[in-house]
Every structure is written in structure tokens, then in C-alpha cells.
């Protein structure tokens, strides 16, 4: 009867797993590589979060392509062909590479009628000061310049306000229009620009593969015509980071898998135990991916790296069953080890599950992945292994005897006071090192881009005169008009800081769309100029009275033509600056003041003093904000790890009473000593070091639990040792990774698990049960 129940349970579980796999993997798999998606949304107000996302999208969804060579004709032809090919790519929403003459005329027509209300700051100041002679000199200078002003322009705009307006509307980038193409100025070789905009974030692996593959093909094709293609954009860094992570995970994974197989072959001398142990690990990982996709719609590469820690924990269940099976019949094994398996599962699940309580998307995803993987691995061992091993013969394991003898040579702390005192002293020193160590929360420490890519990025930015600063001032108000007025007031003080070279240049929406009241004031100021200087100017130019009347008439036609937000948003002229408007809803509006360079600490301090206690002005530094979030969640992860210890401790106290220290102390001491070692090696710790401690805790607790449940038998010590060795191969090798997150994770596991394996025998009871 029991036999039939086991077969039925095995069959049902097999059907469930197969159905889950078919249902999940029949759909496209979605993987993510962005560190940012692991972090929580901004805890600031919704407008601040919207501004951050809008500013990030300005850089993340764009790609700059520059073509350089000696033959300018070939470059122009290549730019046209490349633009057409780019437009055909599905991730591309827009390609800018050309400005036709009719487009330039349209741009002029859009703003010309607003020339008297959209004044630059210098003209506004001169008009307020009644410095009218300056405008007359400007008119005469324009008249006798190589590019002569036409008589029509002298009638419609005698003081050249549109010329000043046109200069204000130019993008602050080293680009000129040549043959209607975008040509980079002041370069050794002719260089032309294409600006590509994507319709999605660049962290999607399929998008990266499509775009990077296209760029690689085009670069090779262009090189045959002696044209070089250089590029700049977030997608390059995202692809480089993802490619590096995938390469290292696969190469290190293959190496560790080969090592694990060799170790298991040496121990069991058969392939079936190896296949048995890989089965729950594979089912656990695939089930975890399936459920994670169901809950989160995508799986992060870091979650895969962290969740693959299931290899170390879930293989533990299989190892204990297989090792016990070498000494006992199949129908006896499960009954013998089930209490330990169940307690090990419960402690590990709790240790991983506490991450789900953090308001942190990355931790929540890791928690779901780990808990699902552990439970499905455990069920695979419990439901399938009794059936799969029913016909296996018993056999001895010589390595078990050798490891058992080696373990017994490690002195017991309970019977060797000197070793106990030494351990306590080392632990105290480790705690001092940990508490005095510096935290490493700067997000820039997680930079994965190769040096060559960073160098190319800086070179292109220097060539174009651009930067990718993510620092800005958020201006809030009940209406856009209120935001514009507040911007204009702040501009006066910011301009003083810029003149003193404390801050770089800056732009705001009010630079291109002044407040309505300001526009009306501008028109009145120009009216005063016309009344005072226009007759005198036309007399000097020897214009007759009819020209003066025509000029006044042209000015009066512009009376009341205020540029509204709605009209401005419809203009082609507004496209480069529309992202300076965050929101235009009544009682919930906001704009952005953007800086053209990096704000150092002194600049940030000066701006914060200007802003003061005004709640409608917020200085946002995205890198600093993310680093602050990293710090907050490093603290939270620390609390979660401690909470996991406390919860597990209560459960284990109920089971083992006063002997619980033998189970809990090894992973606890191993974690403390690992953190101290990391602090000395790397100068501090970060959130990812602490995340790895959860894996150390899970495997360490399993080690203590199984040793306690088995009476510290030699085949149990073999099983927990193999679990540690396989985990060290699977994750300890990541310590040599060039991907910072994987390196931090691997180094912690390498040191922590090694210490746990060495400390556990010293906590054993003074007997030698087999």
C-alpha cells in the first residue's frame, strides 16, 4: 500500500512539474540586467519620481552614432544609408540626422511672431535699465555684417530681437548644419552625427542583442570604406554589463559544474547519484524561474546568480538521501531523515522569506525565487527519490571514513579552553573590525562598463560638448505659470553662481517659454524702446516716413501674441526642451532646471542654501539618491539577516533546547568572521555582501541540523561536506568575477562557507557515533 502511495505521489508531482514547465516556457522569457530595476522606486513625492524617470529616459533611451573619415562624400552617403537601416529596427522610434531647408524655414516661422515677448535675459536687463544705445549699436552692427539684414527684417524687427531669440533656441552642442546633415564642429576628420531614440528601455536583452548586433555589422561594413563608427549611449553600458555577467556566470558555471561532477564521481563512483542530485536542483531552479516570471514578469540576472544558491542548499537534501541510501534500504531512508529534511527546509525557507518583507523589488524577487526553488527541490527529493532509488544496491563510501577521521582531529571547544578563548578573542576582534569598517554604498562601485567604453564615452562627450549629468532642480507649483515665475526668480541667483564659476551653465523651461506676465512685460519694454529710439534709428538709416509707419504697424500686429504652453508644445522648436516640463496638471505642476555639467559638493551646498526651506524647490542628484537608497537597504538587509537568525533560533530552541548553540553558532561565527575578512580585503562591505550571508546561513544551519538529527554520523558529515564543497565551487568561484555584484557575492560565500565547515566540527558532542 505504501509502495503504491509513493508511486502515485511521484507521478502526480511529475505531472505538476512538467505542466508548470510547459505553461511557463511556452511564452517568451523576459530577463533584465539593470541594477536600477533591483532598487526601489523613489521614496520622494510622485512628481520627483516622475522627474527622475523623465531625466533618466532622456539618456537611457538615446544612442549617439558618429561617422568619421577622410572622404566627406562617402560619409554623407553612409549616414543616409545608416539612418534608413536604423529606422527599420523595431526598437528604434526615431532617428535624427538631417535638417532640410524647409524645416529651417518652418522653425523660423514658428517663433518669429513672438520675437518681442521672448527676450533673452541680457536684452531684458538692458531694456529695464533703458540702455537703448546698445540696441542701436546692435542694429548697425548687423546691418554692416557679412550676412546683411534685409530691408524686410529691418522693418519687421529693426532691433534684431529674433536674431537673439534664435541664438537662445540653439541646442548647446557642437553641431552645425552642413548639406542639411548634422556635422560635428572643430574635428580633425569630417564627422557626422545620428541621434537614435529607442521606444523601450535599453536593459531588455533582446533589444541589446538587436541593436548591438546591428552596430557591429555596420561598423565592419563602414570600415571597408575607411569610415569609423563610434557610439555613445546607455545601451552600450547595459549590453557590456549583461554580456560580462552572462559570460562569467556561464564560464564559471560550467567550470563549477565540471568540478562538482568530478567530486561526486570520486565519492560515489557512479553516474546515477550525480543525475539524482542534479534533478532537484534543476527542477528547483526552473520552477523558481517559472513562478518568478509569473509574479514579476521578468527575472533579473542578479536574481539568477543569487537564486542559483539553491545549488548549495537544495543539493543538500539530495545528498543526505543518497548518502543514507548507501547504508539503508529505500523504504527506511525517508522515515529516518524526514525530520531533519523538514527542519532544514523550514529554517532555510524562513531565512530566505524574510527578504520579502523589505520594500525592495530586488529582495522581494530573490525571496520568491529562493523560496519556490527550495520547496520544489525538497518535494522532488521527498516524492521522487524513494521511487527512483528503490532498486539501488547498498555500498560503502570510503571517503566518508576519511572525512570522519579528519573531522575528529579538530579540537572541541567544549573540552579545549585554549581554543575556546582563542575563538572568542578572534570573534571580538572581528566584531570591532566590522563595526569600525566603512560601508560601500556608492552605486558607482557597481560600475561594470569596461575602461575602453568609458574612455570612448568621455571622448564623444568632449567632442560634442555634452554630458550625462543626472543632477537637476525640481520646481513645483500649482500651475506651470507659477513654476515659470519661480524659475525666473531663481535664475538671477543661479546666474551669479555661474559667473563666479561655482556651478556650470543651466537651462530651464522659462529660458524658452517665459511666464505670461513676463512676456507681457517684455512687450511693454520693447514698446518703450520703439518710442525712444526707432524714429532716431530710421533717420540715421535714411529711411522715409513710410518705413517708420510700416515698422510701427508690424510691432502693433504682435501686440497680445503671447506664447502659450499649448502652442509651444505643438512647435518643432520645443522638441529638445519638452522634457524640462514634468507635469502641467492644475495644482500639481513641475518643471526642471537642468545643468550642463557635474555639480561638486561645493556647488550642491551653494544651491541648497539658495533653495533653503522652500518645499517647492528640490535639488535632485540621482547618483547620490541611489547611493542613499543603497545605504538604507544595506541597513535593512542587516536587520533581515538578524531577524532570520532570531526566527530560526526560536524554532531550533524548541527542537534542541540547550544544545541549540551547536547548530546556530557555526553559521553565526562564520558570518561575523567573513564580514571582518571582507572589510579588511575590500575596505568595507555593501548590501550584496550581506545578501550572500543568507546563503551562508541557509547552508550552515542545514549542516548543524543534519548533524544533530543523525547523531553526527559519518555519512551525514560526508553529505554536509559535499554540500559545502559544491556550493564553494558553484559560488566561491564568483569571487574572481569582474562583475562587482557577483564578485561581492562570491567572495562572501567563499570565506563564509569555508569558515562554517571548519567551525562546525568543533561544536560536535564528545562521541563518535557512526
Amino acid at each position: 500500500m505504501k509502495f503504491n502511495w509513493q508511486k502515485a505521489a511521484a507521478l502526480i508531482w511529475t505531472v505538476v512539474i512538467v505542466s508548470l514547465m510547459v505553461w511557463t516556457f511556452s511564452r517568451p522569457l523576459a530577463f533584465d540586467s539593470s541594477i536600477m530595476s533591483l532598487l526601489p522606486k523613489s521614496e520622494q513625492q510622485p512628481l520627483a519620481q516622475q522627474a527622475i524617470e523623465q531625466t533618466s529616459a532622456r539618456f537611457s533611451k538615446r544612442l549617439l552614432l558618429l561617422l568619421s573619415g577622410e572622404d566627406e562624400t562617402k560619409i554623407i552617403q553612409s549616414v543616409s544609408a545608416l539612418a534608413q537601416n536604423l529606422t527599420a529596427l523595431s526598437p528604434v522610434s526615431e532617428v535624427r540626422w538631417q535638417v532640410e531647408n524647409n524645416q529651417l524655414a518652418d522653425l523660423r516661422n514658428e517663433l518669429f511672431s513672438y520675437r518681442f515677448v521672448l527676450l533673452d535675459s541680457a536684452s531684458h536687463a538692458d531694456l529695464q535699465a533703458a540702455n537703448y544705445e546698445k540696441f542701436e549699436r546692435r542694429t548697425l552692427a548687423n546691418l554692416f555684417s557679412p550676412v546683411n539684414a534685409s530691408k524686410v527684417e529691418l522693418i519687421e524687427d529693426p532691433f534684431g530681437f529674433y536674431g537673439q531669440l534664435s541664438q537662445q533656441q540653439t541646442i548647446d552642442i557642437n553641431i552645425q548644419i552642413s548639406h542639411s546633415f548634422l556635422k560635428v564642429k572643430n574635428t580633425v576628420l569630417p564627422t557626422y552625427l545620428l541621434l537614435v531614440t529607442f521606444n523601450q528601455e535599453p536593459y531588455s536583452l533582446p533589444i541589446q542583442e538587436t541593436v548591438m548586433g546591428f552596430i557591429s555589422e555596420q561598423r565592419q561594413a563602414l570600415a571597408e570604406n575607411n569610415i569609423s563608427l563610434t557610439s555613445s549611449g546607455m545601451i552600450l553600458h547595459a549590453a557590456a554589463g549583461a554580456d560580462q555577467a552572462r559570460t562569467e556566470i556561464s564560464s564559471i558555471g560550467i567550470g563549477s559544474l565540471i568540478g562538482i561532477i568530478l567530486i561526486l564521481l570520486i565519492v560515489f563512483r557512479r553516474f546515477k547519484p550525480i543525475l539524482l542530485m542534479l534533478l532537484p536542483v534543476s527542477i528547483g531552479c526552473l520552477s523558481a524561474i517559472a513562478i518568478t516570471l509569473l509574479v514579476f514578469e521578468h527575472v533579473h540576472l542578479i536574481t539568477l546568480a543569487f537564486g542559483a544558491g539553491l545549488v548549495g542548499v537544495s543539493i543538500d537534501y539530495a545528498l543526505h538521501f543518497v548518502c543514507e541510501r548507501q547504508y539503508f534500504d529505500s523504504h527506511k531512508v525517508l522515515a529516518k531523515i524526514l525530520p531533519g529534511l523538514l527542519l532544514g527546509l523550514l529554517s532555510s525557507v524562513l531565512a530566505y522569506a524574510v527578504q520579502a518583507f523589505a520594500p525592495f523589488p530586488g529582495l522581494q524577487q530573490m525571496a520568491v525565487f529562493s523560496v519556490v526553488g527550495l520547496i520544489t527541490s525538497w518535494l522532488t527529493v521527498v516524492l521522487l527519490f524513494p521511487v527512483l532509488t528503490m532498486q539501488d544496491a547498498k555500498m560503502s563510501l570510503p571517503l566518508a571514513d576519511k572525512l570522519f577521521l579528519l573531522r575528529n582531529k579538530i579540537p572541541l571547544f567544549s573540552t579545549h579552553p585554549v581554543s575556546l578563548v582563542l575563538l572568542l578573542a578572534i570573534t571580538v576582534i572581528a566584531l570591532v573590525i566590522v563595526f569600525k569598517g566603512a560601508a560601500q554604498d556608492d552605486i558607482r562601485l557597481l560600475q561594470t562598463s569596461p575602461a575602453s567604453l568609458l574612455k570612448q564615452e568621455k571622448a564623444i562627450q568632449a567632442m560634442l560638448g555634452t554630458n550625462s549629468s543626472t543632477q537637476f532642480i525640481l520646481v513645483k507649483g500649482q500651475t506651470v505659470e507659477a513654476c515659470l515665475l519661480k524659475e525666473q526668480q531663481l535664475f538671477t541667483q543661479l546666474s551669479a553662481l555661474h559667473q563666479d564659476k561655482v556651478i556650470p551653465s543651466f537651462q530651464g523651461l522659462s529660458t524658452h517659454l517665459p511666464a505670461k506676465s513676463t512676456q507681457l512685460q517684455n512687450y511693454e519694454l520693447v514698446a518703450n524702446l520703439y518710442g525712444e529710439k526707432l524714429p532716431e534709428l530710421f533717420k540715421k538709416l535714411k529711411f522715409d516716413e513710410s518705413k517708420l509707419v510700416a515698422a510701427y504697424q508690424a510691432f502693433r500686429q504682435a501686440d497680445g501674441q503671447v506664447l502659450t504652453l499649448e502652442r509651444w508644445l505643438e512647435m518643432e522648436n520645443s522638441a529638445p526642451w519638452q522634457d524640462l516640463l514634468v507635469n502641467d496638471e492644475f495644482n500639481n505642476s513641475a518643471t526642471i532646471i537642468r545643468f550642463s555639467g557635474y555639480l561638486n559638493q561645493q556647488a550642491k551646498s551653494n544651491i541648497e542654501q539658495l533653495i533653503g526651506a522652500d518645499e517647492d524647490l528640490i535639488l535632485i542628484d540621482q547618483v547620490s539618491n541611489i547611493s542613499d537608497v543603497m545605504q538604507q537597504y544595506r541597513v535593512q538587509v542587516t536587520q533581515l539577516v538578524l531577524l532570520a537568525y532570531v526566527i530560526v533560533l526560536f524554532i531550533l530552541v524548541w527542537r534542541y533546547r540547550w544544545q541549540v548553540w551547536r547548530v546556530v553558532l557555526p553559521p553565526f561565527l562564520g558570518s561575523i568572521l567573513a564580514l571582518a575578512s571582507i572589510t579588511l580585503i575590500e575596505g568595507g562591505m555593501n548590501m550584496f555582501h550581506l545578501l550572500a550571508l543568507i546563503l551562508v546561513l541557509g547552508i550552515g544551519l542545514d549542516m548543524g541540523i543534519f548533524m544533530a538529527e543523525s547523531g553526527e554520523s559519518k555519512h551525514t558529515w560526508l553529505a554536509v561536506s559535499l554540500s559545502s564543497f559544491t556550493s564553494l565551487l558553484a559560488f566561491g568561484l564568483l569571487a574572481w568575477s569582474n562583475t562587482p555584484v557577483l564578485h561581492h557575492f562570491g567572495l562572501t560565500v567563499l570565506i563564509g562557507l569555508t569558515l562554517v565547515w571548519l567551525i562546525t566540527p568543533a561544536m560536535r558532542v564528545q562521541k563518535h557515533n557512526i
Side-chain angles (χ1 to χ4, degrees):
M1 188 70 176
K2 184 178 180 180
F3 171 77
N4 291 335
W5 178 87
Q6 288 179 332
K7 292 189 71 173
L11 180 61
I12 292 172
W13 181 241
T14 302
V15 171
V16 169
I17 290 300
V18 171
S19 301
L20 179 63
M21 297 301 109
V22 172
W23 179 77
T24 301
F25 296 104
S26 61
R27 302 178 300 168
L29 300 182
F31 295 97
D32 191 7
S33 63
S34 171
I35 290 292
M36 299 301 103
S37 64
L38 289 174
L39 301 177
K41 295 291 185 181
S42 171
E43 294 182 358
Q44 301 183 61
Q45 302 173 28
L47 280 176
Q49 176 61 32
Q50 185 179 344
I52 289 172
E53 292 175 354
Q54 193 165 300
T55 304
S56 298
R58 180 173 182 261
F59 301 106
S60 64
K61 291 185 178 181
R62 290 185 180 178
L63 173 68
L64 302 179
L65 298 176
L66 285 84
L67 275 65
S68 303
E70 295 183 356
D71 191 333
E72 194 162 357
T73 302
K74 283 186 177 180
I75 297 176
I76 292 175
Q77 294 172 349
S78 298
V79 167
S80 299
L82 181 59
Q84 293 176 0
N85 292 333
L86 279 165
T87 306
L89 295 181
S90 58
V92 175
S93 63
E94 183 184 18
V95 181
R96 291 190 178 185
W97 55 283
Q98 191 176 27
V99 180
E100 300 289 355
N101 290 333
N102 61 331
Q103 288 180 291
L104 292 173
D106 290 343
L107 293 176
R108 180 187 186 280
N109 293 334
E110 281 186 339
L111 288 175
F112 188 75
S113 60
Y114 302 102
R115 60 197 180 279
F116 302 125
V117 295
L118 303 181
L119 301 182
D120 62 284
S121 56
S123 296
H124 181 85
D126 288 333
L127 287 171
Q128 279 191 317
N131 187 12
Y132 298 144
E133 297 297 330
K134 185 174 181 179
F135 293 94
E136 182 179 310
R137 289 195 299 270
R138 186 168 73 188
T139 299
L140 296 174
N142 290 337
L143 182 63
F144 295 107
S145 69
V147 184
N148 292 328
S150 67
K151 291 186 177 181
V152 173
E153 288 178 337
L154 283 172
I155 299 299
E156 296 185 347
D157 186 20
F159 294 105
F161 287 110
Y162 178 73
Q164 295 299 112
L165 174 60
S166 298
Q167 293 180 24
Q168 181 172 286
Q169 297 298 318
T170 57
I171 303 174
D172 189 16
I173 186 171
N174 295 332
I175 294 293
Q176 61 186 11
I177 308 300
S178 177
H179 308 292
S180 79
F181 287 75
L182 304 180
K183 184 177 183 180
V184 184
K185 295 185 288 187
N186 304 320
T187 55
V188 177
L189 295 175
T191 303
Y192 287 80
L193 170 71
L194 294 93
L195 177 59
V196 184
T197 303
F198 301 114
N199 50 32
Q200 302 176 50
E201 290 292 343
Y203 301 108
S204 168
L205 297 184
I207 290 178
Q208 293 174 14
E209 292 172 358
T210 299
V211 174
M212 297 308 296
F214 174 83
I215 291 176
S216 178
E217 292 175 1
Q218 294 298 316
R219 182 175 285 116
Q220 293 178 3
L222 290 168
E224 296 177 0
N225 291 322
N226 296 320
I227 298 174
S228 64
L229 171 64
T230 53
S231 51
S232 169
M234 182 63 73
I235 194 170
L236 305 177
H237 299 274
D243 184 60
Q244 179 174 287
R246 281 181 298 182
T247 301
E248 292 182 343
I249 289 174
S250 60
S251 60
I252 293 174
I254 292 172
S256 63
L257 181 61
I258 293 172
I260 290 170
I261 292 173
L262 288 176
I263 288 177
L264 296 179
L265 272 176
I266 292 171
V267 174
F268 296 103
R269 292 165 290 174
R270 290 181 299 164
F271 278 102
K272 184 175 180 179
I274 299 173
L275 296 175
L276 284 173
M277 280 176 263
L278 293 178
L279 179 63
V281 173
S282 302
I283 290 177
C285 288
L286 291 174
S287 300
I289 291 174
I291 300 301
T292 303
L293 286 171
L294 183 63
V295 176
F296 296 95
E297 298 182 350
H298 70 273
V299 180
H300 200 282
L301 292 181
I302 301 303
T303 299
L304 285 179
F306 176 80
L310 298 168
V311 172
V313 182
S314 62
I315 204 173
D316 218 0
Y317 310 139
L319 280 167
H320 283 287
F321 190 100
V322 173
C323 286
E324 291 284 348
R325 182 64 186 82
Q326 309 307 308
Y327 295 88
F328 301 97
D329 292 330
S330 178
H331 65 277
K332 294 180 180 179
V333 172
L334 188 59
K336 185 174 185 296
I337 68 172
L338 188 58
L341 286 177
L342 188 57
L343 198 57
L345 174 68
L346 184 60
S347 62
S348 296
V349 164
L350 287 173
Y352 284 98
V354 292
Q355 301 171 79
F357 294 99
F360 189 1
L363 283 180
Q364 292 167 355
Q365 188 176 110
M366 292 175 190
V368 170
F369 190 103
S370 302
V371 169
V372 171
L374 284 173
I375 293 174
T376 51
S377 297
W378 189 89
L379 287 172
T380 301
V381 171
V382 171
L383 298 178
L384 296 185
F385 274 36
V387 177
L388 295 175
T389 62
M390 190 167 292
Q391 303 300 323
D392 292 356
K394 291 183 285 188
M395 62 180 296
S396 62
L397 300 174
L399 187 61
D401 297 319
K402 295 178 181 178
L403 278 175
F404 191 66
L405 292 174
L406 178 64
R407 186 198 75 159
N408 291 337
K409 290 181 181 179
I410 297 177
L412 295 171
F413 291 133
S414 58
T415 60
H416 291 74
V418 175
S419 61
L420 179 60
V421 172
L422 182 61
L423 179 64
L424 289 174
I426 293 175
T427 303
V428 171
I429 294 172
L431 285 170
V432 172
I433 292 173
V434 170
F435 284 113
K436 287 192 174 183
Q440 295 181 330
D441 301 313
D442 193 334
I443 190 66
R444 284 168 289 200
L445 294 174
L446 303 180
Q447 173 64 256
T448 58
S449 300
S452 58
L453 184 56
L454 294 174
K455 183 178 179 180
Q456 176 179 288
E457 187 87 25
K458 290 181 179 179
I460 291 176
Q461 288 184 2
M463 185 188 302
L464 297 177
T466 62
N467 75 94
S468 55
S469 174
T470 55
Q471 300 164 308
F472 60 89
I473 297 175
L474 180 68
V475 182
K476 298 187 297 179
Q478 290 188 342
T479 62
V480 174
E481 180 76 9
C483 294
L484 295 174
L485 287 171
K486 190 174 285 288
E487 266 193 26
Q488 291 169 187
Q489 293 171 1
L490 188 60
F491 268 28
T492 303
Q493 297 165 304
L494 291 176
S495 297
L497 290 177
H498 176 58
Q499 290 175 0
D500 294 338
K501 298 183 178 180
V502 176
I503 64 172
S505 59
F506 54 90
Q507 278 192 334
L509 184 59
S510 60
T511 307
H512 309 280
L513 178 66
K516 182 178 179 181
S517 57
T518 303
Q519 293 186 49
L520 294 174
Q521 182 188 31
N522 286 342
Y523 188 84
E524 292 301 322
L525 291 173
V526 176
N528 293 336
L529 171 66
Y530 266 57
E532 291 288 333
K533 274 293 178 182
L534 190 61
E536 180 182 338
L537 174 66
F538 274 32
K539 185 176 181 180
K540 288 182 179 180
L541 295 176
K542 297 182 179 179
F543 282 179
D544 57 33
E545 187 69 20
S546 63
K547 298 290 192 300
L548 180 62
V549 172
Y552 275 122
Q553 184 177 359
F555 177 71
R556 284 192 293 270
Q557 285 177 348
D559 188 7
Q561 292 193 31
V562 175
L563 181 58
T564 63
L565 175 64
E566 292 75 18
R567 175 70 185 105
W568 182 77
L569 290 173
E570 294 172 353
M571 292 180 171
E572 289 290 331
N573 275 288
S574 69
W577 300 284
Q578 285 189 9
D579 58 354
L580 295 174
L581 175 65
V582 178
N583 199 2
D584 60 352
E585 295 180 7
F586 190 75
N587 289 331
N588 196 28
S589 300
T591 60
I592 288 173
I593 298 176
R594 187 166 61 212
F595 296 95
S596 63
Y598 177 72
L599 298 177
N600 58 28
Q601 195 55 47
Q602 180 188 357
K604 289 170 63 176
S605 178
N606 279 271
I607 292 174
E608 286 169 350
Q609 288 179 7
L610 286 182
I611 291 174
D614 192 336
E615 295 181 354
D616 289 337
L617 296 174
I618 304 174
L619 175 62
I620 294 179
D621 183 343
Q622 289 175 256
V623 172
S624 178
N625 286 355
I626 293 171
S627 297
D628 290 342
V629 169
M630 294 281 286
Q631 178 185 8
Q632 295 171 18
Y633 288 98
R634 172 179 53 81
V635 174
Q636 282 207 8
V637 170
T638 304
Q639 294 169 346
L640 291 173
V641 172
L642 293 175
L643 178 61
Y645 270 103
V646 171
I647 293 173
V648 171
L649 179 62
F650 274 110
I651 295 173
L652 297 180
V653 165
W654 171 78
R655 174 70 173 172
Y656 301 115
R657 306 298 179 186
W658 295 109
Q659 294 299 311
V660 72
W661 63 273
R662 299 183 189 277
V663 177
V664 176
L665 210 53
F668 178 75
L669 293 177
S671 298
I672 295 297
L673 296 175
L675 287 181
S677 302
I678 287 165
T679 302
L680 293 175
I681 294 171
E682 301 199 324
M685 71 185 79
N686 60 40
M687 180 184 66
F688 297 100
H689 292 128
L690 296 168
L691 282 174
L693 288 183
I694 299 178
L695 177 59
V696 174
L697 170 62
I699 297 176
L701 286 175
D702 277 358
M703 191 180 299
I705 289 170
F706 287 118
M707 292 302 295
E709 292 294 327
S710 68
E712 302 190 1
S713 64
K714 64 181 181 181
H715 44 276
T716 301
W717 177 242
L718 172 64
V720 297
S721 295
L722 288 175
S723 176
S724 297
F725 297 159
T726 53
S727 296
L728 287 173
L729 280 171
F731 299 100
L733 294 179
L734 292 176
W736 284 271
S737 170
N738 290 319
T739 303
V741 173
L742 299 180
H743 165 74
H744 300 324
F745 191 86
L747 183 61
T748 308
V749 171
L750 176 65
I751 298 173
L753 277 186
T754 302
L755 290 170
V756 172
W757 185 79
L758 292 172
I759 294 172
T760 297
M763 303 295 175
R764 70 188 185 277
V765 294
Q766 195 173 11
K767 57 180 180 179
H768 306 290
N769 292 339
I770 302 176

